[in-house]
């Protein structure tokens, strides 16, 4: 019942916002040229899906996002584990990791386009740079948070480094890693869409850029709605996987305590 009540509040808040937006546009409180109408945006989204116009663009963005998400996560988790378990290597590479993380990713988009062209590689490369650091820092911190007492007890029981990695470090960092995955999905999509926006022949970013080029505000907002729904579906899928894999984690009670 508590979940249903939350969903009702969420739906009511969204409905109220859309009704207020529609009313303000219809009565001239806001200029529909800049904000369009929610009803027209819904009609555009419906037409895109009914005619199949949006499916090729969704496919391209999905492929780019999945590749960036998978590669960035694997590299981030692997390097995070390595540096967390190798203090000397972490001390040497620490300033380089921080320096690379400080580079604005948007600045890299034109460089990747120059290096890899307008194809899928430039979008994947940009997405990887966004996902990598999220996965890396969460994995690194998750491993560092393992209590020393747990490690000492495991070693006393004869656990070898491979056993510690499998039965101590990875389970301890699992919550951190899955937390990074929820965030990384959005960053992977951002990388793909920004790359498409700067130069491509297909994708949701291309669709939005085309609409913006002809001052089609309805098309821009419709593309944003499809993009938001796309990310929410992916986030729900990762959340379902997280709940299935982390069954040992205590659930939060209504008061917010475990």
């Amino acid at each position: 019942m508590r979940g249903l009540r939350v969903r009702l509040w969420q739906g009511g808040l969204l409905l109220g916002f859309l009704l207020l937006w529609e009313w303000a546009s219809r009565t001239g409180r806001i200029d529909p040229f800049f904000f369009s109408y929610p009803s027209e945006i819904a009609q555009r989204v419906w037409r895109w899906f009914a005619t199949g116009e949006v499916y090729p663009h969704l496919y391209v963005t999905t492929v780019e996002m999945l590749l960036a998400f998978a590669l960035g996560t694997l590299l981030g988790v692997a390097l995070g584990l390595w540096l967390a378990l190798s203090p000397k290597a972490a001390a040497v590479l620490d300033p380089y990791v921080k320096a690379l993380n400080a580079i604005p990713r948007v600045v890299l988009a034109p460089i990747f386009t120059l290096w890899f062209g307008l194809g899928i590689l430039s979008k994947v490369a940009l997405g990887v740079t966004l996902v990598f650091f999220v996965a890396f820092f969460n994995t690194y911190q998750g491993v560092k948070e393992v209590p020393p007492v747990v490690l000492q007890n495991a070693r006393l029981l004869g656990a070898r480094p491979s056993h510690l990695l499998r039965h101590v470090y990875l389970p301890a960092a699992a919550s951190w890693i899955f937390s990074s995955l929820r965030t990384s999905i959005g960053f992977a999509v951002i990388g793909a869409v920004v790359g498409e926006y700067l130069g491509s022949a297909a994708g949701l970013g291309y669709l939005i850029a085309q609409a913006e080029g002809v001052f089609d505000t309805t098309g821009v907002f419709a593309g944003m709605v499809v993009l938001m729904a796309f990310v929410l579906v992916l986030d729900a899928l990762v959340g379902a996987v997280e709940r299935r894999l982390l069954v040992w984690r205590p659930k939060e009670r209504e008061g917010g305590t475990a």
Side-chain angles (χ1 to χ4, degrees):
M1 180 60 72
R2 180 173 176 268
L4 177 61
R5 192 182 307 119
V6 171
R7 294 292 182 270
L8 290 175
W9 273 102
Q10 291 172 341
L13 182 62
L14 176 61
L15 180 61
F17 172 75
L18 293 177
L19 290 175
L20 180 62
W21 182 359
E22 184 80 20
W23 170 81
S25 297
R26 297 291 179 185
T27 58
R29 299 297 194 280
I30 59 176
D31 192 342
F33 177 80
F34 296 104
F35 295 94
S36 187
Y37 304 94
S39 56
E40 292 187 1
I41 295 170
Q43 290 174 7
R44 180 71 62 88
V45 172
W46 173 261
R47 193 191 74 190
W48 281 352
F49 281 95
T51 60
E53 179 183 351
V54 76
Y55 292 123
H57 300 287
L58 267 176
Y59 172 76
V60 171
T61 301
T62 301
V63 171
E64 294 168 349
M65 183 277 303
L66 289 177
L67 288 174
F69 179 73
L71 291 174
T73 299
L74 288 175
L75 291 173
V77 171
L79 190 63
L81 284 171
W82 176 49
L83 293 186
L85 299 176
S86 306
K88 292 182 179 179
V92 173
L93 297 179
D94 180 70
Y96 298 102
V97 173
K98 291 180 179 177
L100 291 173
N101 186 43
I103 299 175
R105 308 304 187 273
V106 178
V107 175
L108 297 175
I111 298 177
F112 289 146
T113 302
L114 181 64
W115 288 351
F116 305 116
L118 297 175
I120 189 174
L121 286 179
S122 58
K123 286 73 176 177
V124 173
L126 180 60
V128 167
T129 62
L130 290 164
V131 173
F132 169 80
F133 289 100
V134 178
F136 167 77
F137 285 115
N138 277 272
T139 303
Y140 182 85
Q141 189 63 35
V143 173
K144 287 295 185 181
E145 290 291 326
V146 176
V149 175
V150 175
L151 293 174
Q152 293 172 5
N153 290 337
R155 291 191 180 103
L156 287 173
L157 293 173
R160 296 193 296 269
S162 59
H163 296 151
L164 291 176
L165 178 63
R166 180 180 176 183
H167 299 289
V168 179
Y169 288 118
L170 285 178
S175 296
W176 292 79
I177 293 173
F178 273 101
S179 176
S180 73
L181 296 184
R182 305 289 289 270
T183 307
S184 297
I185 287 178
F187 281 121
V189 174
I190 289 172
V193 171
V194 169
E196 293 166 355
Y197 187 85
L198 294 177
S200 67
L204 293 178
Y206 168 81
L207 202 62
I208 295 173
Q210 289 295 104
E212 186 180 274
V214 295
F215 301 101
D216 180 12
T217 311
T218 302
V220 173
F221 278 105
M224 292 168 60
V225 168
V226 173
L227 188 60
M228 287 187 290
F230 179 59
V231 173
L232 288 175
V233 170
L234 293 174
D235 182 76
L237 291 175
V238 174
V241 174
E242 179 184 8
R243 288 190 297 271
R244 185 169 183 82
L245 294 181
L246 301 184
V247 293
W248 49 266
R249 189 173 59 181
K251 296 181 180 180
E252 292 186 355
R253 296 175 182 174
E254 189 166 348
T257 58

